Amino acid sequence: MSQDRSLTASFFLGIVTTIMAIAGFAVLLVIELVAAMLAYIYLAIYNTELFGYLVREARQVLDVFSTQFETFFPDSANAAYATLLGELGPKSILLLLIGLAVGALIRLAFWMITRIFRAFAA
């Protein structure tokens, strides 16, 4: 009987832990999204020279994507350019790159904070 209660408690603890992990990832995703949008808006409004430079560089990244796609998938290059690459402008690529960079920095910060708390707790 005691073993049944232990298994039931472990099962529900596992479910609660899983739900909390999913909720934590969702909250982290929202934080990353908001931070990326704020960084993009800040660059566009207050640092127009840097923003213009980054847009030009993002255009080069987009050109590299299209060149690589034409090299590796020559049969599908026109369709891909018409559907995906043609619709993405340099500003969209810049926003994607900013989102990746901001997301990586936020995840690094959370990882470092977690490691520091675990080090002091031990």
Side-chain angles (χ1 to χ4, degrees):
M1 185 72 135
S2 174
Q3 193 174 22
D4 290 339
R5 287 184 183 168
S6 176
L7 287 174
T8 304
S10 295
F11 176 74
F12 285 120
L13 182 62
I15 289 175
V16 169
T17 303
T18 302
I19 291 171
M20 293 299 289
I22 291 170
F25 285 129
V27 167
L28 191 59
L29 181 66
V30 169
I31 290 171
E32 291 173 4
L33 178 67
V34 169
M37 291 301 296
L38 289 175
Y40 184 85
I41 291 169
Y42 172 78
L43 285 172
I45 293 174
Y46 296 109
N47 285 338
T48 54
E49 292 173 11
L50 178 60
F51 183 74
Y53 171 75
L54 291 174
V55 169
R56 285 189 300 277
E57 294 299 317
R59 180 69 201 166
Q60 292 177 3
V61 171
L62 189 60
D63 290 341
V64 168
F65 282 160
S66 64
T67 303
Q68 292 297 319
F69 203 87
E70 289 172 1
T71 302
F72 292 113
F73 306 105
D75 296 335
S76 304
N78 288 336
Y81 191 80
T83 57
L84 177 65
L85 297 176
E87 292 180 13
L88 289 178
K91 289 182 181 179
S92 298
I93 293 294
L94 177 61
L95 182 57
L96 277 169
L97 294 173
I98 287 173
L100 289 171
V102 167
L105 289 174
I106 289 174
R107 288 178 188 265
L108 176 66
F110 275 117
W111 177 78
M112 289 174 62
I113 290 169
T114 303
R115 296 287 294 198
I116 290 170
F117 280 135
R118 285 183 184 167
F120 285 122

